[in-house]
Amino acid sequence: MSCSRPLLATILALGASLVAALPATAKSHDIELKLRIAAPPPGPRVVALTFDACSGAIDQRILNLLVENRIPATLFVTHRWMKRNAATMSTLMAHPELFQIENHGDQHVPAITDIPSLYGVKTAGSLEAVQKEVDGGASAIQQATGKPPRWFRGATAVYSRDALDQIRADGYEVAGFSLNADMGASLPAATVARRIAAAKSGDVIIAHINQPGHPAGLGVVEGIKRLAASGAVFVKLDDVQTQASN
């Protein structure tokens, strides 16, 4: 059955209006990067622990485990978290052999320009705002550590293409991951422990170290203990060659 021209025009207009009404997230083509250790050697599993410190406090359960067991990790910290956790920053700085401190932004604003929010978090909305977020975090880390950060991981770890290109043009390595251990510290402890313990050699693991009130932190501790007991080797991002992909 064919449509008359007026009817066809009406149908097409209705379809266009429905597409325009879709949530911004449904139209987004933003990027969540994968990152793995390139060509891990045979033998014990080699994994990189990376932790985000977005806002809030410090999960001493995780930090104490890392320090007491001499387990290295890469921490992505925001400026706003650093301002609230000066004592923890002193602890991290006292163990440069264990902790690599990298840029998680100024105020934990996603580096996204094409949608207004993601996961309920307001995005940067423009390249100028992305630049402010990146530069603010970098300046705070430089002041605290005495050296500029090499890596950047934005809030939500999702990027619009133009923001990703700009961040890389500034000379940053952008830190994705291959294993999401705690889904923003939202998972039950047993699930987190199981996910970490099952890590494959070459995995870059992301978890959160700023939510001491969440059960997920207990799972992070248990999962790392299981990895260590299996003979796994832990590395910082700067200790290895990595391979990124979309």
Side-chain angles (χ1 to χ4, degrees):
M1 179 178 177
S2 62
C3 294
S4 66
R5 289 183 181 275
L7 178 57
L8 180 59
T10 300
I11 292 171
L12 292 175
L14 178 60
S17 66
L18 289 174
V19 170
L22 286 172
T25 51
K27 296 186 292 183
S28 172
H29 299 287
D30 295 331
I31 299 164
E32 182 179 87
L33 289 177
K34 299 183 184 301
L35 187 71
R36 289 186 55 82
I37 298 168
R45 287 179 287 175
V46 180
V47 299
L49 295 173
T50 72
F51 293 97
D52 286 0
C54 316
S55 60
I58 182 67
D59 194 328
Q60 289 289 350
R61 299 169 296 185
I62 301 172
L63 182 60
N64 290 345
L65 174 77
L66 299 176
V67 173
E68 292 169 7
N69 292 274
R70 311 295 297 166
I71 296 173
T74 304
L75 274 65
F76 288 87
V77 302
T78 66
H79 184 194
R80 74 176 185 177
W81 181 87
M82 292 171 65
K83 289 190 292 186
R84 298 174 182 175
N85 294 275
T88 299
M89 281 299 297
S90 295
T91 299
L92 298 177
M93 293 298 299
H95 297 283
E97 76 286 1
L98 295 181
F99 301 119
Q100 177 182 336
I101 301 172
E102 297 294 342
N103 189 358
H104 196 34
D106 188 47
Q107 297 296 315
H108 201 247
V109 177
I112 296 173
T113 64
D114 58 348
I115 54 175
S117 66
L118 184 66
Y119 308 134
V121 181
K122 184 179 179 181
T123 61
S126 69
L127 288 177
E128 291 78 13
V130 170
Q131 194 71 56
K132 181 179 179 182
E133 174 73 2
V134 175
D135 290 349
S139 177
I141 290 172
Q142 170 103 40
Q143 185 173 356
T145 67
K147 61 181 183 179
R150 175 189 168 200
W151 291 82
F152 179 81
R153 176 184 284 157
T156 74
V158 176
Y159 311 86
S160 57
R161 170 56 68 184
D162 55 350
L164 186 61
D165 290 344
Q166 176 172 283
I167 294 164
R168 285 172 166 164
D170 283 344
Y172 285 98
E173 299 282 350
V174 181
F177 52 88
S178 59
L179 174 58
N180 192 331
D182 63 2
M183 300 297 288
S186 68
L187 296 180
T191 302
V192 176
R194 185 168 59 250
R195 290 163 78 101
I196 293 177
K200 298 177 181 178
S201 192
D203 269 336
V204 174
I205 302 171
I206 184 176
H208 288 74
I209 200 169
N210 64 310
Q211 296 289 354
H214 289 209
L218 290 174
V220 172
V221 170
E222 178 60 25
I224 293 173
K225 285 181 177 179
R226 292 182 194 176
L227 274 179
S230 75
V233 176
F234 301 95
V235 296
K236 296 176 285 187
L237 290 182
D238 275 357
D239 293 337
V240 291
Q241 293 293 318
T242 55
Q243 182 174 4
S245 61
N246 293 356

